[in-house]
Amino acid sequence: MSKNNALPALILGGLLCIGLIMLGNTVGDKLIKMKAMERTVTVKGLAEKEVRANVAIWPIRFTEVSNDLTQLYQSVESKTAKVVSFLKQQGFSDDEITVALPAINDRQAQGYVDPNVKYRYSAAISISLYTEQVDLLLSTRSNMLSLAKDGIAISDQDYNSKAQFLFTKLNDVKPEMIQSATQNARQVAEKFAKDSDSKLGKIKKAAQGQFSINDRDSNTPYIKKVRIVSTLTYYLND
C-alpha cells in the first residue's frame, strides 16, 4: 500500500474506533438505566366493606303424620293453606311464595315395621319464600310461633330449614372498593420506598384479586362482608 493511501485508511480506522467507543458508552448508559428501572416493589392492597343482604331464601318446613292417607292429605292441604295465608298477612306476595309437593312416606311399605312407630304415614311439607324484603322476612321469622296454635310446628333448626341471605349487588360497590384497594396498596408502597431511600415510580403491573362475600358472623348472616385484595408492582427510583 502506498503512503498516499495509508493515511486516509488510518484516519478512517481511527474514526471507526472513536465511533465504537462512543456507541459502547451510549449502550452502556442505557443498560445501566434499564437495570435501574428494574428495581420494583410488589405490594397488596386490601379493601373491605359491610353490606346488608338484598335477597333472602327461606325454606319453611313442617311434618304431618296419620294412619289414614286421605285424612293426611286433607290435613296437609289445610295447614299449607294456613302457612301461605300467614305469609301473605305479613306482606309477602304470591310471586314470592312457592309450595312444593309434599313428600309422603309409607313406613309399612319399607318391609319392616317398627313397633314403636305410632303412625303409618308421614308427609314432609316445604314452602319456599324467595324475597327481596329481607327486613320483613326477619320480623316474620319471630312471629312464626303464632302458627303453633293451629298445630303447625315449623322446623328452623336443621341445616335444610335455615334462611339464606344473599348480596347480589356487587357491581354497585366494585368501583369504590377497587379504588380503595389501589390506594391502600400505594400507601404501603410509598412507605416501603421511603424506608429504602427511594422514590415511588409508575405502576409496572397490577392484578385485581377475586371478590369474596361472606357472613360477618354466624349470628347476623344477613350482614355480609365484601373483601378484595389487589396486587400491584411499582418501579422504584433513586
Side-chain angles (χ1 to χ4, degrees), residues 9 15 24 49 60 76-77 89 93 111 117 155-156 161 183 208:
L15 291 175
K49 185 179 183 65
I60 304 170
V76 167
E77 289 182 353
Q89 289 174 7
S93 66
V117 174
S155 172
D156 61 354
S161 299
Q183 291 173 347
Q208 176 188 316

Side-chain angles (χ1 to χ4, degrees), residues 41 186 189-190 193 198-202 234-237:
V41 58
R186 184 171 184 85
E190 287 176 341
S198 302
K199 293 181 179 179
L200 196 65
K202 296 182 178 180
Y234 289 89
Y235 286 109
L236 292 176
N237 302 322

Side-chain angles (χ1 to χ4, degrees), residues 61-132:
R61 304 177 190 274
F62 62 96
T63 303
E64 278 294 296
V65 293
S66 177
N67 285 318
D68 185 279
L69 192 57
T70 301
Q71 183 181 1
L72 179 66
Y73 273 109
Q74 292 174 349
S75 179
V76 167
E77 289 182 353
S78 174
K79 292 187 177 182
T80 299
K82 289 179 180 179
V83 173
V84 172
S85 176
F86 169 80
L87 293 175
K88 289 182 179 180
Q89 289 174 7
Q90 299 300 307
F92 297 106
S93 66
D94 287 326
D95 293 337
E96 296 171 299
I97 303 170
T98 302
V99 179
L101 291 174
I104 307 296
N105 180 29
D106 182 355
R107 293 166 179 171
Q108 289 187 8
Q110 297 176 2
Y112 170 76
V113 180
D114 188 341
N116 296 318
V117 174
K118 185 177 179 180
Y119 298 100
R120 174 178 176 178
Y121 301 105
S122 67
I125 300 92
S126 178
I127 301 170
S128 180
L129 186 64
Y130 184 97
T131 181
E132 295 182 357

